[in-house]
């Protein structure tokens, strides 16, 4: 069994965090670039929907398999590093190739070209992300050190969301590029190379012990049928743990609610504040995402980390989400035409919601993995990471559909000004502010009885160590 030290050197934490930058930057820029498929290359809705949804279905199959494989790999490099390295390289190469699209080619050719390369990209993402997240879970067995690891990782990862919104400005500025399709062809290279390097940093610098002599499940072609059965059994056993279910479902509600309305940001700012004039909105759309991410980086993560250590993870979660509700309510009253700067006041408050989520929840998941080890005698970080992030991806897929549905529900027409459709814009603004509140309240209700305290976590670790001594 790979052992984890209580205290992790800062360099190791930073190496893990650099990987988180790639883990967040690739999808952040992907979401922006995909607008080009519709706006500039003429993909109809069914093509866009298929490209958006199929990778999530693909992930739902490959993620759990990768989790099982990662948990049971016997290698002198350990269980995770080789997959993180391979995944980082595949992601980088596929990301460059998938965006080499030209208007001169037929619509069908561009669709299938992008579709195939996107599947290769998501396969690389699975190779990278599932073992990478598991790496973080197993780096320490200390209750608070786990929060420190995730805080540093999220701090570094948040810079992806500071940088990403400015790609809107670069892509559609004729002084930079003659058209957006030309922009993505070139920008994909500048995104892929540094992100791919960041992705392989954890593989190169995070220490791991040889697992050649460990008693893991066999991973061979002849055993693949049995392995799939064991994968299903592992998932069933993991999801039987009540506290893990609470973490998964509360994350699902917060993440789903947030991203369902995040796609409306452009429309709410342009139409609520600037009467539908995109040019007049200037950089205010980009600033919304950028300043929110900066608030998360410099305000939310440090405060949440401190709260987690002083009052416990559950209480830190509950207070953070309550603060975010205040921020969402403020946003409803601070979106005032002719005074766009007022929305800046609410950003640090509402950022506590999504900004604190993964710092606390990934730390909690590491504690839950100890409970599983006590129950089963196995370390299954890959399986737990795959389940948790599968819930996140399902939420993201649903959120994409909800965002489009909200536009239809309020009767929004992008061709009309705000003055011509005041009720639609008011309805869109209300959904933008209050739908996340509903998701947050649901998550808080689920987490109200979460009971893995520091004392309980330490007691579980003691029992695990005593059992190891007994068998050794």
């Amino acid at each position: 069994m790979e052992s984890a030290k209580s205290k992790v050197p800062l360099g190791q934490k930073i190496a893990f965090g650099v990987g988180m930058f790639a883990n967040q930057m690739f999808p952040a820029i992907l979401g922006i670039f995909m607008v080009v498929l519709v706006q500039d290359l003429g993909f109809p809705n069914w093509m866009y929907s298929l490209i958006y949804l199929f990778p999530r279905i693909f992930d739902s199959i490959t993620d759990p398999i990768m989790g099982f494989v990662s948990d049971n790999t016997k290698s002198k490099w350990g269980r995770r590093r080789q997959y993180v390295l391979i995944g980082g390289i595949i992601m980088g190469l596929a990301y460059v190739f998938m965006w080499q699209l030209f208007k001169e080619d037929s619509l069908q050719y561009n669709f299938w070209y992008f579709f195939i390369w996107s599947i290769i990209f998501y396969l690389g993402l699975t190779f990278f992300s599932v073992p990478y997240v598991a790496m973080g879970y197993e780096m320490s067995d200390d209750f608070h050190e786990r929060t420190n690891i995730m805080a540093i990782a999220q701090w570094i990862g948040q810079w992806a969301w500071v940088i990403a919104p400015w790609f809107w400005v670069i892509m559609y500025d004729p002084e930079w590029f003659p058209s957006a399709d030309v922009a993505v062809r070139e920008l994909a290279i500048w995104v892929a190379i540094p992100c791919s390097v960041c992705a392989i940093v954890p593989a190169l610098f995070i220490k791991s012990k040889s697992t050649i002599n460990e008693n893991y499940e066999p991973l061979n072609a002849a055993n693949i049928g049995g392995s799939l059965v064991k994968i299903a059994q592992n998932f069933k056993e993991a999801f039987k743990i009540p506290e893990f279910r609470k973490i998964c479902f509360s994350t699902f509600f917060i993440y789903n609610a947030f991203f369902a309305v995040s796609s409306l940001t452009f429309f709410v700012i342009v139409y609520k504040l600037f009467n539908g004039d995109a040019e007049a909105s200037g950089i205010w759309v980009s600033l919304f995402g950028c300043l929110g991410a900066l608030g998360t980086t410099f305000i939310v993560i440090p405060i949440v980390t401190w709260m987690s250590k002083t009052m416990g993870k559950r209480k830190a979660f509950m207070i953070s989400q309550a603060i975010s509700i205040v921020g969402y309510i403020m946003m409803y009253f601070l979106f005032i035409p002719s005074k766009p700067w007022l929305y800046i006041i609410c950003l640090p408050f509402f950022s506590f919601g999504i900004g604190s989520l993964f710092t606390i929840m990934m730390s909690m998941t590491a504690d839950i993995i100890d409970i599983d080890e006590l129950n089963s005698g196995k370390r299954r970080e890959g399986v737990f990471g795959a389940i948790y992030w599968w819930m996140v991806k399902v939420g993201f897929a649903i959120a994409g559909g909800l965002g489009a549905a909200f536009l239809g529900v309020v009767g929004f027409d992008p061709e009309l000004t705000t003055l011509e459709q005041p009720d639609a814009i008011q309805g869109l603004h209300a959904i933008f502010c209050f739908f996340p509140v509903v998701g947050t309240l649901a998550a808080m209700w689920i987490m109200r009885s979460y009971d893995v305290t520091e004392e309980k976590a330490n007691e579980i670790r003691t029992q695990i160590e005593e059992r190891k001594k007994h068998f050794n």
Side-chain angles (χ1 to χ4, degrees), residues 200-254:
I200 66 176
V201 163
L204 299 178
F205 295 103
I206 293 181
K207 298 176 183 178
S208 62
K209 292 185 177 181
S210 171
T211 57
I212 290 177
N213 298 318
E214 297 294 341
N215 184 28
Y216 292 151
E217 300 283 356
L219 298 173
N220 51 61
N223 195 45
I224 188 64
S227 293
L228 290 173
V229 172
K230 288 170 184 174
I231 290 169
Q233 184 62 32
N234 283 342
F235 262 55
K236 186 177 178 180
E237 290 174 6
F239 226 63
K240 277 184 177 179
I241 301 174
E243 305 311 302
F244 184 56
R245 290 201 304 271
K246 292 173 185 177
I247 290 172
C248 288
F249 283 116
S250 59
T251 299
F252 173 85
F253 280 114
I254 292 172

Side-chain angles (χ1 to χ4, degrees), residues 152-172:
I152 289 174
Q154 292 301 319
W155 192 92
I156 296 173
Q158 275 299 310
W159 285 98
W161 302 99
V162 175
I163 296 168
W166 297 103
F167 277 75
W168 288 113
V169 178
I170 296 170
M171 283 166 52
Y172 288 99

Side-chain angles (χ1 to χ4, degrees), residues 140-148 150 247 304-321 356-357 359-368 370 447 450-454 457-458:
S140 176
D141 55 18
D142 181 79
F143 187 78
H144 292 305
E145 188 70 350
R146 287 167 171 169
T147 304
N148 291 336
M150 299 309 169
I247 290 172
V304 166
T305 304
W306 172 79
M307 287 197 302
S308 178
K309 292 178 182 178
T310 56
M311 61 184 68
K313 297 176 186 178
R314 187 191 72 86
K315 193 172 288 186
F317 169 82
M318 299 295 273
I319 292 174
S320 298
Q321 298 307 317
S356 68
L357 183 65
T359 299
I360 296 176
M361 291 307 198
M362 289 181 70
S363 179
M364 284 180 169
T365 303
D367 300 330
I368 300 300
D370 286 346
M447 290 297 290
Y450 179 86
D451 67 350
V452 182
T453 61
E454 181 178 1
N458 289 337

Side-chain angles (χ1 to χ4, degrees), residues 404-415:
F406 289 148
L407 293 173
V409 167
V410 300
F412 173 75
D413 185 345
E415 299 298 322

Side-chain angles (χ1 to χ4, degrees), residues 168-405:
W168 288 113
V169 178
I170 296 170
M171 283 166 52
Y172 288 99
D173 187 339
E175 293 186 7
W176 283 82
F177 297 101
S179 63
D181 61 308
V182 174
V184 297
R185 287 201 297 270
E186 296 188 26
L187 289 174
I189 300 170
W190 293 100
V191 171
I193 293 174
C195 285
S196 190
V197 170
C198 289
I200 66 176
V201 163
L204 299 178
F205 295 103
I206 293 181
K207 298 176 183 178
S208 62
K209 292 185 177 181
S210 171
T211 57
I212 290 177
N213 298 318
E214 297 294 341
N215 184 28
Y216 292 151
E217 300 283 356
L219 298 173
N220 51 61
N223 195 45
I224 188 64
S227 293
L228 290 173
V229 172
K230 288 170 184 174
I231 290 169
Q233 184 62 32
N234 283 342
F235 262 55
K236 186 177 178 180
E237 290 174 6
F239 226 63
K240 277 184 177 179
I241 301 174
E243 305 311 302
F244 184 56
R245 290 201 304 271
K246 292 173 185 177
I247 290 172
C248 288
F249 283 116
S250 59
T251 299
F252 173 85
F253 280 114
I254 292 172
Y255 194 81
N256 184 22
F258 175 82
F259 275 97
V261 300
S262 67
S263 61
L264 307 178
T265 303
F266 175 86
F267 301 109
V268 172
I269 291 177
V270 170
Y271 286 83
K272 178 67 178 179
L273 300 180
F274 297 96
N275 195 34
D277 188 344
E279 289 187 14
S281 67
I283 63 171
W284 287 106
V285 176
S286 296
L287 275 180
F288 187 88
C290 177
L291 293 177
L294 282 172
T296 298
T297 303
F298 290 104
I299 299 174
V300 175
I301 291 176
I303 291 176
V304 166
T305 304
W306 172 79
M307 287 197 302
S308 178
K309 292 178 182 178
T310 56
M311 61 184 68
K313 297 176 186 178
R314 187 191 72 86
K315 193 172 288 186
F317 169 82
M318 299 295 273
I319 292 174
S320 298
Q321 298 307 317
I323 293 172
S324 76
I325 290 175
V326 173
Y328 284 118
I329 294 172
M330 290 173 64
M331 198 183 302
Y332 184 75
F333 296 101
L334 293 178
F335 264 58
I336 301 174
S338 78
K339 296 180 181 179
W341 54 269
L342 280 174
Y343 78 55
I344 295 174
I345 299 172
C346 64
L347 292 181
F349 294 90
F350 101 88
S351 294
F352 267 86
I354 199 74
S356 68
L357 183 65
F358 294 119
T359 299
I360 296 176
M361 291 307 198
M362 289 181 70
S363 179
M364 284 180 169
T365 303
D367 300 330
I368 300 300
I369 292 168
D370 286 346
I371 297 176
D372 177 64
E373 182 180 5
L374 186 63
N375 294 339
S376 68
K378 302 174 184 177
R379 290 296 294 183
R380 298 188 284 197
E381 292 92 346
V383 168
F384 279 82
I387 296 173
Y388 180 79
W389 286 97
W390 184 82
M391 292 291 286
V392 170
K393 290 171 181 177
V394 169
F396 188 74
I398 294 173
L402 282 175

